[in-house]
Amino acid sequence: MSKLEARSATNTKGQPVTVFVAETENATNSTVTYTIGDLAREFGVTLRTLRFYEDKGLLNPTRDNLTRLYSARDREHLQLILKGKRLGFTLVEIGEMIAHHGEGKTASLDISASTVREQIEHLERQRREIDEALVELRRSYEGLANALPR
């Protein structure tokens, strides 16, 4: 088992993070890891969210006793998960996309043109449904507001 050295650093947002570097037999072959708190702060998600993604098999941190240590690959996967969620994909769909994300590739979601077109249609359908619900709610509100004694 490798020994961990804690180092202070800053993330892409300039916020302080603790980076754990695993000291291996070959000192030039260090592996940077992140704690659950580091990733939660950097990406603006809760600890519970990260544990949920772990339970779903989307993230695979290693453990040092009770401490979860996330690799650069886990960090990359978290970026992909959050991007996929912003685009409206389900976690199952995101998991499938990440499964196609091979070693050494730049972080990206593996999405075909037809998948993008289907997602656009799905989101447009949802927007129409939301617009219809808002119209109905506004009518109800106006009816209720007019019924109140003045």
Side-chain angles (χ1 to χ4, degrees):
M1 186 167 169
S2 61
K3 184 178 176 185
L4 294 175
E5 178 186 323
R7 295 183 186 169
S8 295
T10 55
N11 62 20
T12 55
K13 296 180 181 177
Q15 299 167 323
V17 296
T18 303
V19 178
F20 288 90
V21 179
E23 295 177 1
T24 60
E25 291 176 23
N26 181 352
T28 61
N29 190 15
S30 298
T31 305
V32 176
T33 58
Y34 307 88
T35 66
I36 191 169
D38 293 337
L39 291 183
R41 276 187 300 278
E42 180 176 357
F43 292 99
V45 297
T46 64
L47 304 180
R48 184 176 179 182
T49 296
L50 292 172
R51 289 189 294 265
F52 179 76
Y53 293 156
E54 180 184 350
D55 289 343
K56 296 296 179 187
L58 298 171
L59 298 175
N60 298 301
T62 58
R63 302 276 182 150
D64 182 20
N65 294 320
L66 296 177
T67 304
R68 287 174 169 85
L69 299 174
Y70 294 87
S71 67
R73 186 113 179 119
D74 287 319
R75 185 180 176 280
E76 212 173 71
H77 282 187
L78 181 57
Q79 287 176 312
L80 295 174
I81 293 164
L82 297 175
K83 181 177 182 178
K85 292 298 292 173
R86 276 192 310 275
L87 296 176
F89 291 101
T90 66
L91 289 179
V92 171
E93 292 167 327
I94 294 167
E96 291 169 0
M97 293 174 199
I98 288 174
H100 294 108
H101 180 225
E103 289 295 326
K105 289 187 179 177
T106 304
S108 64
L109 291 173
D110 187 12
I111 308 174
S112 68
S114 64
T115 302
V116 170
R117 186 180 59 249
E118 290 169 8
Q119 189 63 13
I120 289 169
E121 291 168 0
H122 173 73
L123 291 172
E124 286 175 342
R125 209 171 25 257
Q126 281 185 325
R127 181 172 44 193
R128 281 191 302 274
E129 292 169 0
I130 289 169
D131 288 342
E132 290 169 5
L134 285 169
V135 167
E136 189 173 329
L137 285 169
R138 286 185 180 113
R139 275 193 215 128
S140 295
Y141 177 76
E142 288 172 8
L144 292 169
N146 292 334
L148 292 175
R150 293 183 188 227

